[in-house]
Amino acid sequence: CVAWVCDMMDQTFVDLCSGCRVLLGPCSASTFVRDCSDCVFWIATQQLRTRDCKRCKFYLYSKTEPIIEASEDLSFAPWTASYPMCSAHFRDA
């Protein structure tokens, strides 16, 4: 699956994804990624929390260190995404 959420959000939950590519625009609170495997995420958030994830890659912009619980084989790199209104969303989030 492919999911692009090119907008601002308050709190975000991503659960039970497998083999997906997910872009989430700026989140003004926490983003929770749970029970996901073999996914690629582009996430901009105040705080990222993962639980029970396997073999996922995160392109991350976060104001805090990610909180990783019971997950394995995760990789992290800086946010590299862009979309129309992205800069305004970062400013307003």
Side-chain angles (χ1 to χ4, degrees):
C1 74
V2 175
W4 305 125
V5 182
C6 300
D7 204 350
M8 295 180 301
M9 295 161 280
D10 291 327
Q11 191 172 53
T12 309
F13 295 85
V14 180
D15 294 330
L16 301 168
C17 290
S18 179
C20 296
R21 298 169 61 83
V22 178
L23 180 142
L24 301 176
C27 177
S28 62
S30 294
T31 299
F32 297 84
V33 180
R34 304 177 295 195
D35 300 298
C36 294
S37 61
D38 303 304
C39 295
V40 179
F41 296 96
W42 290 264
I43 296 176
T45 188
Q46 295 289 322
Q47 180 185 66
L48 173 66
R49 300 181 67 101
T50 70
R51 190 189 76 218
D52 297 319
C53 293
K54 296 177 182 167
R55 299 173 306 277
C56 293
K57 182 159 192 170
F58 293 86
Y59 292 96
L60 179 65
Y61 175 85
S62 178
K63 296 227 175 168
T64 64
E65 295 289 324
I67 297 171
I68 302 166
E69 300 174 11
S71 296
E72 59 187 57
D73 198 19
L74 305 183
S75 62
F76 293 86
W79 166 275
T80 58
S82 182
Y83 59 86
M85 300 295 295
C86 182
S87 295
H89 292 163
F90 266 91
R91 182 182 61 246
D92 296 340

